Amino acid sequence: MLVDEIMYCISINHKNSDLKIRKQFAFSEDTQKALLNCLIISDFINECLIVCTCNRMELYFVGNENAVSFAKNTLAEYSGFEVSRLSKQIFLFYDDKAISHLYNVVSGIDSMVIGEDEILGQIKRAYAFAQRCKTTGYELNTVFQAAIACAKRIKTETVLSKTSVSMATLAANEVARLGENVSVMVIGATGKIGTSLVKNLVSHKNISIITTLRNHNNDLTYRNDVSAVEYNDRYKYIDKVDCLISATSSPHYTITYYDLQKCLKENKNRLFIDLAVPPDIDREIEKISGIRLVDVDYFKTLAKENNSLKLSSIDEAKKIIEEEIEALKKDMLFHSFLPYIDAVKMKLKEKSFEELLYKLREELSAEEFEKILNVYKTFGGVE
């Protein structure tokens, strides 16, 4: 990368922020587009990309020394979060550390559930979105393409994600433990998380599923005991289910205390799972007898148990990341040198090979100089 322009990452994630804070940065696609456009037209940022998931909001950008301050101010403006508080809340990575952080994120090492599969797809979609917004260039294109390729290699060569437990899997397992015959309603079954959730739910033979749809054009018939009802009729069916899961991208509650307490007639224990950020379910419903409500942060405890099984694979994955980042750096260094090749060739014609060697000896460490000499020996066919 250029000396006066480097890559940065501002991260708000499950490690440094709770759900209440993260939901302020759960930007809609329209807001993401507006934010990226605001950044890219500035004099400080040449490339930018945003990643928004349930567990993280991360802004990657390439810019000059004023880029970070401008990016923080812009995030504060779009989130309504005070800049002074934001500075204390975020993780800031830059240059090599920003690249390393991205590789850890996309490979699942930095996830709440280590090795989970969903983050790779989310990163790919975020990258494609930024491309459509025309806010990426050589640096982000190169880094993100390489990071995605690295994550695929880790999936192939390690068991880090072969025994992956995603948020959807953890939620489905929680439902399955409710009893021998469990009925569950899923709101948002056609979304990114909802689709994965339904597939996990149908893998349990003791669960029957009702999904809500805004139209009947979506095919969710994975098994005979999956049925669909109109979203507007959801309260008519809630009284009969043992569990309700909501995982939409709606800015409004899908379940409110006022409407729920009117429709519940049968006195029994019910589990409500809110996998959305910002939350889908009004927390006031916990006042209703028999209701237990859990959200994405609840699964941190469950994820820790799963993560302990994957720790042995992390070292192996990190070695792959080191190899891939080293290859990436070489590619980017070579790319930055390309404009100077012809000029260097001309200069070398005027200088002796011995002068070049003396200059290298002066500038490089002994280890680096030895590597250069070995390359010359091999290239010259004398070794």
Side-chain angles (χ1 to χ4, degrees):
M1 296 182 183
L2 299 177
V3 174
D4 57 347
E5 286 189 347
I6 61 175
M7 175 175 160
Y8 301 92
C9 172
I10 291 177
S11 177
I12 293 174
N13 60 55
H14 61 95
K15 293 181 178 179
N16 62 4
S17 304
D18 60 21
L19 180 60
K20 184 178 180 181
I21 292 175
R22 295 201 305 274
K23 72 178 182 180
Q24 290 188 245
F25 297 87
F27 302 125
S28 66
E29 283 199 353
D30 287 342
T31 302
Q32 290 178 44
K33 184 175 182 180
L35 191 154
L36 291 176
N37 287 336
C38 180
L39 294 173
I40 204 70
I41 63 174
S42 73
D43 295 329
F44 317 118
I45 295 173
N46 289 328
E47 302 179 37
C48 52
L49 183 155
I50 190 168
V51 177
C52 282
T53 74
C54 291
N55 291 321
R56 69 181 66 246
M57 184 293 300
E58 295 191 333
L59 183 66
Y60 294 86
F61 52 102
V62 176
N64 59 29
E65 59 184 6
N66 297 312
V68 174
S69 176
F70 183 76
K72 287 195 292 188
N73 286 329
T74 305
L75 282 174
E77 177 184 348
Y78 277 83
S79 65
F81 206 84
E82 294 178 6
V83 177
S84 58
R85 288 183 62 204
L86 181 63
S87 297
K88 298 176 182 178
Q89 194 69 45
I90 63 173
F91 288 145
L92 175 63
F93 305 95
Y94 57 93
D95 207 9
D96 289 352
K97 291 182 179 179
I99 294 174
S100 180
H101 175 70
L102 171 62
Y103 274 64
N104 283 321
V105 169
V106 73
S107 65
I109 291 176
D110 197 65
S111 294
M112 181 189 296
V113 181
I114 295 175
E116 55 98 355
D117 288 323
E118 292 173 8
I119 189 63
L120 175 56
Q122 291 166 333
I123 293 289
K124 290 168 70 175
R125 287 190 289 272
Y127 173 52
F129 181 77
Q131 284 189 304
R132 291 196 299 274
C133 293
K134 302 185 185 304
T135 60
T136 63
Y138 170 76
E139 281 84 358
L140 289 187
N141 285 335
T142 303
V143 172
F144 270 79
Q145 288 169 14
I148 291 169
C150 178
K152 292 178 179 178
R153 181 185 166 191
I154 289 172
K155 287 180 180 295
T156 301
E157 298 182 18
T158 75
V159 299
L160 189 65
S161 62
K162 286 184 172 62
T163 55
S164 172
V165 178
S166 67
M167 196 69 66
T169 307
L170 291 172
N173 291 344
E174 189 79 2
V175 175
R177 286 192 286 267
L178 292 178
E180 293 183 3
N181 296 295
V182 183
S183 59
V184 58
M185 176 182 287
V186 179
I187 300 176
T190 58
K192 297 170 186 176
I193 296 176
T195 301
S196 177
L197 175 63
V198 172
K199 289 180 179 179
N200 277 277
L201 287 171
V202 298
S203 68
H204 297 277
K205 295 181 180 180
N206 65 322
I207 297 177
S208 59
I209 307 157
I210 299 173
T211 61
T212 65
L213 300 176
R214 294 186 184 274
N215 61 68
H216 287 300
N217 295 327
N218 298 295
D219 182 14
L220 286 169
T221 311
Y222 298 106
R223 210 172 64 187
N224 291 333
D225 51 2
V226 178
S227 57
V229 299
E230 290 287 348
Y231 172 78
N232 290 335
D233 294 332
R234 63 196 182 282
Y235 285 106
K236 296 179 182 179
Y237 297 88
I238 290 178
D239 191 45
K240 299 299 181 183
V241 301
D242 303 298
C243 175
L244 181 140
I245 307 175
S246 193
T248 77
S249 57
S250 171
H252 310 294
Y253 286 143
T254 57
I255 299 295
T256 66
Y257 168 78
Y258 175 77
D259 291 314
L260 183 62
Q261 55 91 23
K262 288 194 304 181
C263 77
L264 294 182
K265 308 298 181 185
E266 186 177 345
N267 184 22
K268 66 176 184 178
N269 292 329
R270 294 179 176 86
L271 173 63
F272 281 68
I273 300 177
D274 191 344
L275 296 181
V277 178
D280 273 348
I281 301 176
D282 183 0
R283 294 210 69 92
E284 292 291 305
I285 71 166
E286 291 180 290
K287 295 178 180 178
I288 301 174
S289 177
I291 285 185
R292 175 182 170 227
L293 172 63
V294 299
D295 57 30
V296 292
D297 283 346
Y298 162 79
F299 292 100
K300 282 185 178 180
T301 302
L302 300 181
K304 287 179 181 178
E305 298 174 5
N306 173 71
N307 290 347
S308 65
L309 301 175
K310 295 173 176 287
L311 293 179
S312 60
S313 299
I314 292 180
D315 289 341
E316 188 178 355
K318 286 187 174 181
K319 288 180 181 178
I320 293 175
I321 289 175
E322 288 177 4
E323 293 174 8
E324 293 291 329
I325 289 180
E326 184 69 13
L328 169 69
K329 289 180 179 179
K330 289 179 181 178
D331 287 341
M332 298 185 77
L333 285 169
F334 188 76
H335 180 270
S336 66
F337 184 70
L338 284 175
Y340 307 104
I341 284 183
D342 289 340
V344 171
K345 284 181 179 178
M346 291 297 296
K347 199 67 177 177
L348 286 175
K349 290 180 180 178
E350 302 171 6
K351 302 282 185 178
S352 70
F353 181 67
E354 286 78 9
E355 285 181 279
L356 174 61
L357 287 181
Y358 283 122
K359 184 64 174 176
L360 291 172
R361 186 181 70 173
E362 179 183 339
E363 297 289 337
L364 302 178
S365 67
E367 184 180 355
E368 292 169 334
F369 189 51
E370 181 182 20
K371 289 180 180 179
I372 290 287
L373 294 178
N374 287 335
V375 169
Y376 280 132
K377 288 177 184 178
T378 302
F379 190 72
V382 295
E383 184 179 63

